[in-house]
Amino acid sequence: MSFSIIGTGSALPKTIQTNSDLTAFLDTSHDWILSRTGIEARHICIEESILDIAFTASINALENADINPKHLDLIICPTLGGDTITPSLACLVQEKLGATCPAFDINAACSGFVYGLDVADAYLSRGKPMTILIIAVDAMSKLVDWTDRSTAVLFADGAGAAVVTNGDDLKSIYLSAVGNQHALDIPWAKGNHPGLSEKELPIPYLIMDGPEVYRFAITAICDDLRRVTRDAGIALEDLDLIIPHQANQRIIEGAAKRLKLPMKKFVLRVKNQGNTSAASIPLVLDDLNRHGQLKPGMLIALTAFGGGLTTGACVLTWSK
Ligand code: UT7
């Protein structure tokens, strides 16, 4: 079984924060951030809630797919978390859309969109006709420590959505997880039980071993792309486009070099987007779709890596 993507959507918050803006409160520079990451600016949720951007991206995708929300059979929301622990973000999107289908969040960090596609594929494999909304959303600005220059400059907020239904666009998909708390950790508040001492309470912000994640990412992109192209019965060179998780331009360039593929096959949007976690790949997909850059029959690979540590990659034919 497989699926087809029949619509895409995205939303970025209004507030744009440039590298220069960050120098007002962090010991950093535009040149350091640009040369180490390729990032110049990012969008941050100040006026918007996480639900606001999730809803806008969902509406855009449903309009693009020409689907009435009432006809959705499932909403899957890959996210590190919405505005509330419960209701899930997927349930809040469902309510705001006026949909009546089941809805749930999944957490696979930056690999979330590819994990979401795999879950959708599993549902569609039952053979029943279904229309599924995958809405990948993260507001990393609420999870990073804005006094930590080694992480705050990298991350950003956004939402990217896809509507999928029974079809045959998916050629291969592969997910992986290698549990590792040290490389990328966002501790949770542990409550205020009087039996807990102050020192047991974790700092609730993102902590990352950047160089470790960097090395993991390049290896993951190369291994996963080799695997999903082999599983799809094609050569790496047959891919028309590769949409990698937008974390760092140098990671993408490093993978391209190791795979001996030209950079023009890799889509880069990190410059004005930063690392939007689960939203990064569907944000790019929607941008390409809306600008007419995806042609029927194109072979596209998605490749993601992130906290967990998780990875996910797939090969798709574009048919919309
Ligand atoms: O979605 C997945 C999530 N994570 C990632 O994709 C992150 C993967 N890792 C990376 O992208 C890179 O490792 C970073 C961009 C995070 C860091 O780049 P790096 O080339 O690995 O730098 P580094 O961590 O080795 O730090 C080099 C220097 C250090 O100074 P010293 O010790 O050499 O004096 C840092 O303190 O750069 C310093 N530094 C900064 N300087 C100015 C770290 N952050 C900054 C900053 N501005 N923002």
Side-chain angles (χ1 to χ4, degrees):
M1 231 7 222
S2 174
F3 59 73
S4 288
I5 297 178
I6 58 168
T8 64
S10 61
L12 290 167
K14 278 197 206 85
T15 303
I16 296 175
Q17 204 161 32
T18 65
N19 292 346
S20 307
D21 294 335
L22 300 181
T23 61
F25 56 91
L26 280 175
D27 178 17
T28 188
S29 66
H30 169 71
D31 289 346
W32 190 95
I33 302 169
L34 184 63
S35 64
R36 299 287 177 131
T37 69
I39 300 169
E40 288 188 14
R42 71 284 291 144
H43 293 250
I44 304 290
C45 283
I46 302 288
E47 295 169 40
E48 305 86 350
S49 65
I50 303 177
L51 175 60
D52 288 336
I53 56 171
F55 176 70
T56 305
S58 300
I59 284 287
N60 290 345
L62 290 164
E63 281 174 5
N64 189 240
D66 198 17
I67 293 289
N68 182 323
K70 294 197 169 14
H71 297 151
L72 282 173
D73 297 296
L74 182 65
I75 298 174
I76 303 168
C77 189
T79 183
L80 290 170
D83 302 298
T84 49
I85 293 174
T86 192
S88 68
L89 185 54
C91 283
L92 294 178
V93 169
Q94 185 249 34
E95 181 189 27
K96 206 161 173 178
L97 286 173
T100 54
C101 58
F104 58 84
D105 291 358
I106 56 171
N107 177 350
C110 308
S111 311
F113 183 68
V114 182
Y115 267 66
L117 288 176
D118 193 54
V119 174
D121 183 46
Y123 271 92
L124 293 164
S125 296
R126 294 172 174 177
K128 211 173 104 189
M130 285 185 87
T131 305
I132 302 176
L133 172 67
I134 303 167
I135 165 69
V137 192
D138 271 315
M140 299 304 291
S141 68
K142 300 182 191 305
L143 301 172
V144 296
D145 175 357
W146 285 97
T147 65
D148 175 10
R149 67 176 183 175
S150 70
T151 52
V153 304
L154 307 172
F155 292 98
D157 305 343
V163 181
V164 302
T165 189
N166 310 69
D168 59 4
D169 287 0
L170 181 68
K171 302 304 168 203
S172 62
I173 189 159
Y174 171 73
L175 307 182
S176 82
V178 190
N180 177 340
Q181 189 173 359
H182 150 84
L184 208 169
D185 186 15
I186 309 178
W188 226 351
K190 282 196 176 148
N192 66 351
H193 188 278
L196 290 173
S197 71
E198 277 293 314
K199 64 177 182 337
E200 283 177 277
L201 298 177
I203 304 158
Y205 299 123
L206 185 149
I207 306 157
M208 183 174 71
D209 182 335
E212 185 178 342
V213 177
Y214 189 98
R215 288 188 293 275
F216 170 80
I218 295 185
T219 304
I221 293 176
C222 296
D223 290 354
D224 287 3
L225 283 179
R226 286 195 187 102
R227 181 190 288 258
V228 289
T229 48
R230 190 188 62 221
D231 291 351
I234 60 167
L236 273 171
E237 294 70 24
D238 294 332
L239 290 170
D240 294 300
L241 274 186
I242 300 166
I243 306 179
H245 170 44
Q246 308 287 309
N248 182 331
Q249 182 169 334
R250 283 166 57 221
I251 291 177
I252 299 169
E253 288 168 349
K257 193 169 166 202
R258 210 185 276 183
L259 291 168
K260 298 190 174 56
L261 288 173
M263 267 307 284
K264 65 173 195 268
K265 293 225 179 205
F266 290 80
V267 190
L268 272 179
R269 291 288 187 278
V270 73
K271 187 173 159 189
N272 295 310
Q273 201 170 289
N275 181 345
T276 56
S277 186
S280 103
I281 288 177
L283 272 164
V284 175
L285 196 65
D286 184 50
D287 186 52
L288 295 172
N289 181 24
R290 281 172 199 273
H291 288 92
Q293 287 171 271
L294 301 176
K295 311 286 178 211
M298 263 186 162
L299 274 171
I300 302 165
L302 313 181
T303 175
F305 57 86
L309 295 169
T310 56
T311 78
C314 64
V315 173
L316 304 164
T317 316
W318 190 253
S319 66
K320 186 173 158 52

